[in-house]
Amino acid sequence: MKRTQVAVIGAGPAGLMLSHLLAARGIDTVILERRSRDYVESRIRAGVLEHHSAAALRAAGVGARMDRQGMEHTSIDLAFSGAHHRIELARLTGKKIMVYGQHEVVKDLIAQRLADAGEILFEADVSGIEGLDSDRPIIRYTHDGRNQTLTCDFVAGCDGYHGVSRASVPAGQIVTHARSYPYAWLGVLAEAAPTSDELVYARHDNGFALYSMRSPEVTRLYLQCRPDEDPDAWSDRALWDELHRRLETGDGWTINEGPILQKNIAPMRSFVAEPMRYRRLLLAGDAAHIVPPTGAKGMNLALADVQVLAPALARWFDSADETGLDAYSDTCLKRIWKVQRFSVWMTRMLHAQPDADGFEQRLQQAELDSVAASDSAARHLAENYVGLPLEVPE
């Protein structure tokens, strides 16, 4: 039977960052991850870091590669009605964003945890969590072909929407709010040099499109599609033709084509679980909340959660003071609902709504026109996009 102070389930950004922040405070952790190291380091996810998220990685000593290889952006572009409209993030807020893939953040955090002799058990399949009402929870898992147990003081559930952590809470103790959307994103990863200095969010009658990048040689692009869309039904030629159609506005800017390395469907949904704490279990990241990807907030919310959780746990281990833990859920949820609102707002503004009548379509156009024409409306978008200030209770 293994023993640790905090058992972290899930080696995504939330679990890895939490383990790293706790180690800096002298608190032992063991990370249990169901997948292999190769899988979690190659899983393509979000690529935009808010100003505060990038600063947090630097402050934690894991931002050096991000600063060397990431791409700092001072603006984003909205493309609609045949024109591009620049939202100047730096001018409006004094802050920037960093384009740096989530899998790269995961690589950096794993490398640092292992360099610091942190314990990460890959391919460790958790079958159950017991004793959350006691002061010694027990996690049962399979690793290296053997059934094993891990006892701890606290369990950090960072294992995503489908993980075992939230499912281990007794019925009725957590309320969930969810919303699905009548569309999804078809994601394309292409070996093609970016032709824009900024991300391009496009509203087209055929549907939304997003032009992003992962490196000076690789672009990441998305098309609005049906939730049941088969990505393999799209030929490479058909994908490029539709991306040109939705993203380009006839002003001379065009996108580079190249070999398509990956195609996948990203579902669109909103989800919030509250509270984010049940006794000795604390939820973080996608285990507690999911936002539509339009606002680029998923990884950023996960990193914000653990920046609140780490000092709260340290306070408990230092003096048995539960003040921070008691405030953890309310503090995070206040931010989560603001971010949820922003993500839904951007989604509705930019996506073709399948059942929208003429009245709703004109309102959508007026919203876009307002953001493009008004500094105050653009500032609202910019302030949310670069990231709201992080409030950590003292």
Side-chain angles (χ1 to χ4, degrees):
M1 180 179 289
K2 293 175 67 68
R3 171 84 175 92
T4 192
Q5 290 175 290
V6 179
V8 179
I9 305 179
L16 290 164
M17 186 66 161
L18 178 63
S19 177
H20 180 69
L21 293 175
L22 292 176
R25 293 166 166 84
I27 297 169
D28 293 330
T29 67
V30 173
I31 302 175
L32 303 174
E33 168 54 50
R34 184 168 64 93
R35 301 286 194 170
S36 68
R37 179 178 179 179
D38 180 67
Y39 181 91
V40 299
E41 289 188 340
S42 60
R43 181 170 46 191
I44 303 297
R45 290 289 188 270
V48 174
L49 286 165
E50 295 176 350
H51 172 87
H52 301 289
S53 296
L57 292 170
R58 293 186 191 102
V62 287
R65 195 167 73 96
M66 173 192 70
D67 283 329
R68 289 196 307 271
Q69 299 181 12
M71 292 175 282
E72 203 169 54
H73 288 250
T74 62
S75 304
I76 61 171
D77 280 352
L78 300 183
F80 63 93
S81 301
H84 283 256
H85 308 269
R86 182 149 292 191
I87 307 298
E88 299 175 319
L89 305 176
R91 179 180 68 82
L92 293 165
T93 70
K95 299 179 176 67
K96 305 172 185 178
I97 59 166
M98 178 73 75
V99 174
Y100 189 64
Q102 176 173 312
H103 64 292
E104 303 294 352
V105 174
V106 166
K107 287 179 187 177
D108 295 342
L109 286 166
I110 288 175
Q112 191 63 55
R113 291 304 304 122
L114 296 178
D116 293 340
E119 189 165 9
I120 308 174
L121 301 182
F122 293 102
E123 299 181 83
D125 192 7
V126 176
S127 58
I129 304 172
E130 303 169 6
L132 290 175
D133 293 320
S134 72
D135 59 1
R136 288 291 185 273
I138 298 173
I139 299 175
R140 301 192 183 279
Y141 65 100
T142 303
H143 186 245
D144 288 339
R146 295 185 295 118
N147 294 327
Q148 302 186 49
T149 58
L150 173 66
T151 63
C152 56
D153 297 294
F154 289 93
V155 179
C158 308
D159 50 346
Y161 179 80
H162 297 289
V164 68
S165 297
R166 193 179 68 254
S168 301
V169 176
Q173 298 299 312
I174 290 180
V175 175
T176 59
H177 311 272
R179 173 172 294 178
S180 58
Y181 297 85
Y183 35 75
W185 282 7
L186 197 168
V188 174
L189 193 69
E191 189 177 327
T195 56
S196 171
D197 293 334
E198 310 296 354
L199 281 72
V200 179
Y201 287 79
R203 167 67 174 89
H204 189 275
D205 288 344
N206 286 12
F208 168 77
L210 172 61
Y211 184 88
S212 181
M213 57 288 292
R214 286 295 178 268
S215 75
E217 297 82 27
V218 176
T219 54
R220 181 69 165 160
L221 309 104
Y222 296 93
L223 289 172
Q224 179 183 346
C225 64
R226 301 188 318 273
D228 61 351
E229 197 94 35
D230 177 7
D232 294 326
W234 287 75
S235 68
D236 288 6
R237 184 68 263 152
L239 276 171
W240 285 119
D241 287 346
E242 189 63 18
L243 286 162
H244 284 291
R245 186 177 297 115
R246 296 192 194 183
L247 286 162
E248 296 171 2
T249 57
D251 59 357
W253 176 73
T254 187
I255 60 177
N256 278 342
E257 296 185 15
I260 291 180
L261 309 174
Q262 184 185 92
K263 294 184 288 187
N264 67 289
I265 298 296
M268 302 276 284
R269 61 179 182 269
S270 293
F271 171 80
V272 180
E274 51 186 2
M276 293 167 59
R277 179 191 180 188
Y278 174 75
R279 306 293 175 88
R280 291 299 179 99
L281 171 68
L282 300 128
L283 301 175
D286 285 0
H289 45 74
I290 294 174
V291 294
T294 320
K297 296 302 178 189
M299 173 170 55
N300 293 291
L301 273 180
L303 293 173
D305 288 345
V306 299
Q307 289 177 76
V308 177
L309 181 53
L313 284 166
R315 188 170 183 173
W316 187 89
F317 282 108
D318 182 58
S319 61
D321 184 348
E322 290 202 39
T323 304
L325 293 175
D326 290 341
Y328 168 66
S329 182
D330 287 344
T331 300
C332 290
L333 285 167
K334 182 179 179 181
R335 181 188 187 88
I336 288 160
W337 280 112
K338 289 179 180 178
V339 171
Q340 191 75 253
R341 183 211 62 81
F342 171 71
S343 297
V344 171
W345 173 74
M346 274 201 76
T347 299
R348 288 174 174 167
M349 181 174 66
L350 289 163
H351 287 71
Q353 306 299 326
D355 300 323
D357 58 18
F359 184 84
E360 291 178 353
Q361 290 172 358
R362 295 300 293 271
L363 286 178
Q364 186 181 44
Q365 182 65 47
E367 189 78 49
L368 285 164
D369 289 339
S370 177
V371 170
S374 164
D375 249 18
S376 60
R379 184 173 290 107
H380 165 75
L381 191 159
E383 287 174 346
N384 282 271
Y385 197 86
V386 301
L388 300 172
L390 181 64
E391 299 177 7
V392 179
E394 296 182 0

